[in-house]
Amino acid sequence: MLSKRLSLLFLAVTFSASAQTPAQPLRLTLDDAIHMALGNGTQAELARSNEQMARIARSEAWSALMPQADAKLMQYSQSINLATFGFSLPGLPPVVGPFNVTDGQLSAAVQVFNFAALRHYQSLKSSAEASHYQTEQSENDVAAAVARLYLIAQRAQSQIDARQADVALFTRLLQTAQDEFKAGTGTRLDVAQGNVQLARARQALLIAQNDRQNATLALLNAIGADESRDVIFTALPSAPTTVPDLDPSLTTAKEHRPELRQATEQVRAAQLTVEAARARLLPSVSLDFEGDISGNRTNDLHWTRRIAANLGVPLFRADINANIARAKVMLHDAQTQLSQRQRDVEQDVRRSVMSLQNAESRVAVATESVTVAEEALTVAGDRRSAGYGSPVEVDRAQDAYRQAHEDLIAAQADAAAAQFDYEHATGGIRRYITNASTAAPEAKP
């Protein structure tokens, strides 16, 4: 009994220790994040479901063109009222039976010529293709959104690294001010300003850490990962170095944007829907077959059959004209949407190219500003040590140094984000989805 209690106590302690063990950090590349978002995200999953529904509708339309066959076997007891059929036989009651009947039926039908059904199938086939491109569009949108979240988290991590460097720098400057004050070469004001600068750096570090935590939570939520885990970012995207030309970018977007392909297929589907509605005015030809083997007993079963060729000609169907008019309106709407999407794609490409140009200029200016701020801080410190400078000059140089680093981090992050916007605008972001399709389903810790 005691051994059982000790075993249970050991298991409880082991479980408690394992439950309190924090989850290991998640090493996450951009491809891993995109892959997990595509596998666990709601938007991509719903788009794939819509594509599957479109394929099912296409299969149903195709099955209507294929031969149909049914078989039925019945065994029943029946009585007949002869008076219902106008018979009155002397010596027989008006109701004959009941008697047993064994009946086996076989029926088949095939569409020989039905142009409306054929065009309807072709329309749904184009709709299925459009839904496939809609799935690609959703995947592109998910990849772009995850890339932005990844960059925001990366920027927050870079801010943490910069703020930690600032804390280390201002700690050394404070120590220098304290040493100078003790030696009699500095003032109490220098020490107070050093404390203020260090407090500002520590506050900025706390803000950066909070920003990183919020960005990490948003990213983990988007990719469907455990939000209690920390993330280690690897293979961080870099800022672009060149800006592509506008005309080749527009050509690439017209060839690869799934929205344009989807709109084109929707126009084709609408055109086929109009033709299908008009084809209902045409004759249709079908073949029917019915076979029946029946009898009162199994030894008197006899086979009968009927083969019919059907020619259907609509003489007056008021709903056909209404369906044609409705299909024409749908075609006009599809053509309007295609024109609008073409304009939207061109706008996206032009805007993304301008954003890349601005981002490239911002990175160059921010890099130069960091260099100047570092030199200015060094000069201010040397002047202060030599007794020529003032504490105000050093304080301003420190603020300029910190702000220059902040501007550089923001410029680099915005430049990387502009690169992803450009790839989303031209359809090139599909390469991240292709790379993610070969990645592991779960990034290793």
Side-chain angles (χ1 to χ4, degrees):
M1 187 68 179
L2 180 60
S3 61
K4 291 183 178 180
R5 291 181 178 179
L6 290 176
S7 299
L8 293 175
L9 180 61
F10 176 76
L11 291 175
V13 172
T14 303
F15 177 78
S16 176
S18 61
Q20 295 176 359
T21 302
Q24 295 182 354
L26 180 67
R27 300 185 64 87
L28 195 65
T29 65
L30 179 59
D31 291 342
D32 294 333
I34 293 176
H35 172 79
M36 296 174 67
L38 294 177
N40 304 325
T42 301
Q43 182 177 354
E45 186 65 26
L46 291 177
R48 287 189 289 267
S49 297
N50 291 334
E51 180 180 356
Q52 186 66 22
M53 293 294 292
R55 291 177 179 176
I56 293 174
R58 180 191 60 186
S59 300
E60 290 177 343
W62 173 251
S63 64
L65 297 173
M66 300 299 292
Q68 309 292 324
D70 294 298
K72 184 185 298 182
L73 178 62
M74 296 180 291
Q75 178 72 41
Y76 55 90
S77 177
Q78 182 179 1
S79 60
I80 299 176
N81 184 4
L82 298 178
T84 302
F85 303 97
F87 294 104
S88 178
L89 301 178
L92 291 178
V95 177
V96 179
F99 51 89
N100 297 324
V101 177
T102 301
D103 190 2
Q105 298 178 0
L106 179 65
S107 62
V110 60
Q111 297 282 346
V112 178
F113 176 79
N114 192 330
F115 196 65
L118 178 61
R119 282 291 184 258
H120 178 63
Y121 163 73
Q122 293 173 339
S123 174
L124 292 179
K125 183 179 179 181
S126 294
S127 297
E129 290 294 328
S131 66
H132 171 72
Y133 292 125
Q134 183 180 6
T135 301
E136 288 190 358
Q137 175 188 349
S138 299
E139 291 175 346
N140 289 359
D141 294 342
V142 169
V146 170
R148 294 188 189 99
L149 291 175
Y150 195 92
L151 290 174
I152 292 174
Q154 173 198 358
R155 174 181 176 178
Q157 181 61 53
S158 300
Q159 287 176 333
I160 290 177
D161 297 337
R163 298 293 81 79
Q164 289 175 343
D166 291 344
V167 170
L169 172 64
F170 294 133
T171 300
R172 292 193 302 270
L173 293 176
L174 175 61
Q175 185 63 44
T176 301
Q178 290 174 344
D179 294 341
E180 291 177 350
F181 177 71
K182 292 178 182 179
T185 58
T187 64
R188 190 181 300 275
L189 179 61
D190 298 337
V191 177
Q193 289 178 340
N195 285 320
V196 171
Q197 289 289 356
L198 180 58
R200 291 177 180 175
R202 288 174 176 172
Q203 183 181 6
L205 176 60
L206 291 176
I207 295 174
Q209 290 173 340
N210 185 65
D211 292 341
R212 183 191 185 279
Q213 185 177 5
N214 291 331
T216 302
L217 288 175
L219 178 61
L220 291 173
N221 181 39
I223 65 178
D226 184 6
E227 297 185 19
S228 64
R229 302 177 66 176
D230 194 10
V231 176
I232 298 177
F233 300 98
T234 59
L236 301 179
S238 58
T241 56
T242 58
V243 178
D245 295 331
L246 178 61
D247 291 338
S249 300
L250 290 172
T251 302
T252 302
K254 292 177 181 179
E255 293 176 354
H256 295 92
R257 280 290 290 268
E259 295 93 329
L260 296 181
R261 296 183 179 183
Q262 177 193 0
T264 302
E265 288 295 335
Q266 287 175 341
V267 170
R268 174 173 171 77
Q271 291 172 342
L272 291 171
T273 301
V274 173
E275 295 181 10
R278 288 173 175 169
R280 292 183 60 191
L281 297 171
L282 300 177
S284 62
V285 179
S286 63
L287 291 178
D288 293 339
F289 170 83
E290 291 184 2
D292 186 272
I293 182 171
S294 60
N296 186 251
R297 293 180 300 273
T298 56
N299 57 358
D300 60 0
L301 297 177
H302 298 285
W303 170 259
T304 60
R305 53 91 174 163
R306 182 177 69 91
I307 300 177
N310 300 322
L311 175 63
V313 180
L315 298 179
F316 178 76
R317 293 289 302 273
D319 62 318
I320 293 180
N321 292 330
N323 291 333
I324 294 174
R326 185 182 297 108
K328 288 182 177 179
V329 173
M330 294 174 61
L331 174 59
H332 176 267
D333 292 345
Q335 292 171 339
T336 302
Q337 291 176 357
L338 174 59
S339 300
Q340 181 61 48
R341 290 192 178 184
Q342 290 173 341
R343 293 192 295 269
D344 292 341
V345 167
E346 182 175 355
Q347 178 185 3
D348 292 343
V349 173
R350 291 182 178 275
R351 184 168 50 194
S352 63
V353 170
M354 288 189 297
S355 298
L356 278 175
Q357 293 172 347
N358 295 333
E360 184 183 33
S361 301
R362 282 186 58 194
V363 171
V365 172
T367 302
E368 182 65 23
S369 298
V370 168
T371 302
V372 173
E374 290 176 349
E375 294 177 355
L377 181 60
T378 302
V379 171
D382 293 342
R383 285 171 53 83
R384 181 69 183 90
S385 300
Y388 297 104
S390 65
V392 176
E393 182 182 358
V394 176
D395 185 67
R396 290 178 178 177
Q398 291 171 351
D399 288 337
Y401 170 82
R402 182 174 56 251
Q403 186 62 45
H405 273 274
E406 179 70 22
D407 293 342
L408 178 60
I409 293 173
Q412 290 175 340
D414 292 342
Q419 177 66 29
F420 281 109
D421 288 341
Y422 171 79
E423 293 182 348
H424 181 267
T426 58
I429 202 168
R430 292 294 303 176
R431 66 186 180 91
Y432 292 98
I433 299 174
T434 303
N435 294 336
S437 63
T438 59
E442 173 71 18
K444 295 181 180 180

